[in-house]
Amino acid sequence: MPATLIKNAYVVNEGTITETDVLIVDQRIEKVASNIQPNSNCGVIEAKGCYLIPGMIDDQVHFREPGLTHKGSIATESRAAVAGGITSYMEMPNVTPATTTIEALEKKFDIAAQSSLANYSFYLGATEDNLEQIKQLDPTKHCGVKVFMGASTGNLLVEEPQALDAIFRDSPVLIVTHCESGPVIAKNQEQLRKEKAVFTIEDHPILRDDRACYASSSYAVELAKKHNSQLHVLHITTEKELALFDKGPIEGKRITAEACVHHLWFSNEDYPKLENQIKCNPAIKFPSDREALLTALSTNQIDIIATDHAPHTWEEKQVPYEQAPAGLPLVQHALLTLFDHVHAGTMTVEQVVEKTAHNPSIRYAIQERGYIREGYFADLVLVDPKASTLVDEENNLYQCAWSPFTGHEFSSQIKHTWVNGTKVYSNADSSLLLDTNHSPAMRLSFKR
């Protein structure tokens, strides 16, 4: 069986950093110990001075397949993901056609089995009339049901109280929500129209303000408490919402919260320069909100960090603000943004690992992933904290071919990524990323 020995790495795992060796045999971590000696069939990687961390488990991505593959595909975006140290992802239902039936859901798994470079799962999208489909979800095979409680289009928008009540009452799997109140946004638009005829990108966090977010997220929390549901509120963006979530470790929580890397990085002060590039829903808001989110990571009111990777073509973004689609590409640079936070002293490496690997594994009850433990799948990332990464057009792997970080030099570098024991990315060997025909990726399974 193939084997790889990673020597002298700073292994970051379960709140500690230990300089040690890790032996990978076939798909799994065989041994974690000092001074492991290689045999003749074992490849050796010297990792002195580098962090070895469990791969990021990204619980919120939009890979655009089927139907929107001019923006991205499972193949192209998972390729960018592993280059960014993401070894597993959970993908959203707002594709074409929307993933609102078990049949459509399983078709996406079939696509990923042929083309994904990272481990995968997919959400079923809730509608106001597909409760019977939701009831058929298997907690051991399906990661969750996505409920757009505002800010969506077509039949994926669920606002009718009886439909929401039934979903929170009857879902057999984790409920994940996008929380923005449509009526509050409409009222904000009406008020601002009295002052100006044409909205600009700088109006975005005013139109989609903290009141719009709180009205919806508080409603979701209320429903979850009423029915004792398992609820995970995605991409919290406001200081106001944090009061809805308990402090403390994720173990035992039935209601959890997530922040995304762009809301931890950007603020409204970046709109004049980046304009529609950073238009997203919920909106990037104000420095005070960003600082509150960073603090909430330390108090554990925010349990998980994800990306909400959502690519659009450059041309689609080059239109007036109100017509521009919301979303930005992030998976290739997400971990690098967090290591910049570490470099700046606003986050620790242990926190990064907890929020991107351990806690997603706990929240979703993912089997044998998210930790560096003997017997677990070898989903690993080697990060050099002293080698920088300049983002430019040449090293951009997104199909949309642009990044809001272009021109920025990150303080760290992703050197290698392993998925199920196979090296799928190396900073020194781009050819590894081209071979999707022999991808080691697997469908995620859950122990619930």
Side-chain angles (χ1 to χ4, degrees), residues 335-367:
L335 267 179
L336 292 176
T337 71
L338 300 180
F339 273 89
D340 265 22
H341 282 297
V342 172
H343 187 75
T346 54
M347 204 177 294
T348 67
V349 181
E350 296 94 325
Q351 283 178 318
V352 171
V353 169
E354 178 186 58
K355 303 299 183 182
T356 63
H358 298 343
N359 282 3
S361 176
I362 293 168
R363 189 65 181 105
Y364 287 82
I366 300 171
Q367 292 205 57

Side-chain angles (χ1 to χ4, degrees), residues 44-162:
V44 178
I45 292 178
E46 175 55 55
K48 187 77 174 179
C50 294
Y51 293 114
L52 186 68
I53 65 174
M56 182 172 177
I57 301 172
D58 191 349
D59 71 11
Q60 185 183 184
V61 302
H62 302 263
F63 281 179
R64 304 306 191 194
E65 190 172 6
L68 301 169
T69 52
H70 66 288
K71 301 174 189 280
S73 68
I74 289 171
T76 63
E77 306 313 285
S78 68
R79 181 173 177 256
V82 297
I86 293 169
T87 54
S88 299
Y89 63 85
M90 301 171 211
E91 205 265 352
M92 290 297 168
N94 49 332
V95 289
T96 303
T99 315
T100 58
T101 66
I102 300 296
E103 181 182 8
L105 183 63
E106 291 301 324
K107 285 181 179 178
K108 290 177 75 171
F109 280 105
D110 291 341
I111 295 169
Q114 299 299 316
S115 62
S116 183
L117 275 170
N119 303 312
Y120 50 87
S121 193
F122 298 91
Y123 295 96
L124 184 77
T127 73
E128 296 192 341
D129 57 7
N130 75 337
L131 183 62
E132 293 307 311
Q133 294 290 309
I134 293 171
K135 288 180 179 180
Q136 293 179 46
L137 290 169
D138 185 337
T140 67
K141 295 180 179 179
H142 301 125
C143 59
V145 58
K146 172 67 178 289
V147 184
F148 289 89
M149 294 178 64
S152 186
T153 57
N155 67 340
L156 282 175
L157 178 60
V158 185
E159 290 185 310
E160 203 277 317
Q162 286 186 324

Side-chain angles (χ1 to χ4, degrees), residues 369-391:
R369 302 186 192 277
Y371 293 85
I372 300 179
R373 291 175 176 169
E374 293 178 358
Y376 270 49
F377 287 105
D379 295 340
L380 302 170
V381 182
L382 192 66
V383 181
D384 189 338
K386 296 182 179 178
S388 62
T389 302
L390 176 65
V391 182

Side-chain angles (χ1 to χ4, degrees), residues 60-345:
Q60 185 183 184
V61 302
H62 302 263
F63 281 179
R64 304 306 191 194
E65 190 172 6
L68 301 169
T69 52
H70 66 288
K71 301 174 189 280
S73 68
I74 289 171
T76 63
E77 306 313 285
S78 68
R79 181 173 177 256
V82 297
I86 293 169
T87 54
S88 299
Y89 63 85
M90 301 171 211
E91 205 265 352
M92 290 297 168
N94 49 332
V95 289
T96 303
T99 315
T100 58
T101 66
I102 300 296
E103 181 182 8
L105 183 63
E106 291 301 324
K107 285 181 179 178
K108 290 177 75 171
F109 280 105
D110 291 341
I111 295 169
Q114 299 299 316
S115 62
S116 183
L117 275 170
N119 303 312
Y120 50 87
S121 193
F122 298 91
Y123 295 96
L124 184 77
T127 73
E128 296 192 341
D129 57 7
N130 75 337
L131 183 62
E132 293 307 311
Q133 294 290 309
I134 293 171
K135 288 180 179 180
Q136 293 179 46
L137 290 169
D138 185 337
T140 67
K141 295 180 179 179
H142 301 125
C143 59
V145 58
K146 172 67 178 289
V147 184
F148 289 89
M149 294 178 64
S152 186
T153 57
N155 67 340
L156 282 175
L157 178 60
V158 185
E159 290 185 310
E160 203 277 317
Q162 286 186 324
L164 284 169
D165 196 75
I167 291 166
F168 276 76
R169 182 192 65 219
D170 293 339
S171 174
V173 296
L174 180 67
I175 300 165
V176 304
T177 55
H178 178 130
C179 288
E180 290 182 288
S181 168
V184 174
I185 294 170
K187 186 175 181 180
N188 290 342
Q189 290 174 329
E190 181 183 356
Q191 291 295 319
L192 197 57
R193 285 287 185 205
K194 296 175 182 178
E195 302 175 17
K196 56 198 309 185
V198 178
F199 297 149
T200 69
I201 186 62
E202 294 182 57
D203 297 317
H204 198 50
I206 299 169
L207 296 169
R208 293 173 174 269
D209 64 2
D210 59 355
R211 294 172 300 174
C213 294
Y214 185 85
S216 183
S217 55
S218 61
Y219 184 23
V221 169
E222 177 187 337
L223 286 170
K225 289 181 176 179
K226 175 183 177 182
H227 294 292
N228 198 30
S229 312
Q230 289 282 358
L231 170 66
H232 184 50
V233 184
L234 303 174
H235 44 42
I236 296 296
T237 61
T238 73
E239 182 176 9
K240 184 179 180 69
E241 292 170 281
L242 295 173
L244 296 169
F245 305 101
D246 292 337
K247 297 179 181 180
I250 194 171
E251 289 88 353
K253 289 184 179 179
R254 296 188 70 83
I255 299 172
T256 50
E258 169 199 287
C260 289
V261 292
H262 48 306
H263 297 122
L264 299 172
W265 184 274
F266 298 112
S267 76
N268 69 308
E269 295 173 351
D270 296 296
Y271 284 126
K273 176 183 177 182
L274 294 172
E275 298 182 325
N276 289 340
Q277 288 184 60
I278 58 170
K279 180 183 178 182
C280 58
N281 299 332
I284 289 165
K285 295 187 173 65
F286 304 97
S288 59
D289 293 300
R290 178 180 59 195
E291 297 311 309
L293 294 177
L294 288 166
T295 299
L297 291 169
S298 298
T299 62
N300 295 315
Q301 286 172 289
I302 297 292
D303 303 285
I304 289 172
I305 300 174
T307 68
D308 197 17
H309 172 85
H312 299 282
T313 68
W314 182 255
E315 291 73 21
E316 287 171 329
K317 285 287 194 176
Q318 305 311 303
V319 296
Y321 157 71
E322 292 188 68
Q323 286 78 53
L328 55 157
L330 291 158
V331 288
Q332 189 178 346
H333 306 108
L335 267 179
L336 292 176
T337 71
L338 300 180
F339 273 89
D340 265 22
H341 282 297
V342 172
H343 187 75

